[in-house]
């Protein structure tokens, strides 16, 4: 799979959007709970992308 195809995949773009929204809410909105929610959203997006890519790669090897 080419690098350009990976960077334009829907999973990767959704991961970037989730991380960006989390970081934006963490940096520009006021409040401890908002900061925590933004941090969790950013981390959850990245972790779900990594896990999904691992599952796809595992299924491809079978």
């Amino acid at each position: 799979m080419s690098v350009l195809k990976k960077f334009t995949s829907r999973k990767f773009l959704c991961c970037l959007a989730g991380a960006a929204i989390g970081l934006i809410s963490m940096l520009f909105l006021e409040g401890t709970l908002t900061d925590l929610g933004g941090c969790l959203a950013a981390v959850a997006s990245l972790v779900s992308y990594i896990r999904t890519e691992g599952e796809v790669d595992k299924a491809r090897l079978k």
Side-chain angles (χ1 to χ4, degrees):
M1 179 178 261
S2 73
V3 174
L4 181 61
K5 190 170 182 178
K6 265 206 188 275
F7 284 132
T8 57
S9 74
R10 287 179 290 173
K11 287 183 292 204
F12 184 73
L13 294 176
C14 286
C15 170
L16 283 181
I21 289 170
L23 289 174
I24 288 169
S25 69
M26 198 169 49
L27 295 173
F28 296 111
L29 298 178
E30 301 287 328
T32 305
L33 190 58
T34 306
D35 290 345
L36 180 63
C39 182
L40 288 175
V43 170
S45 294
L46 297 173
V47 168
S48 64
Y49 173 75
I50 292 169
R51 185 163 188 264
T52 303
E53 281 296 311
E55 292 292 325
V56 168
D57 291 342
K58 188 169 95 174
R60 189 176 296 141
L61 290 175
K62 285 186 178 182

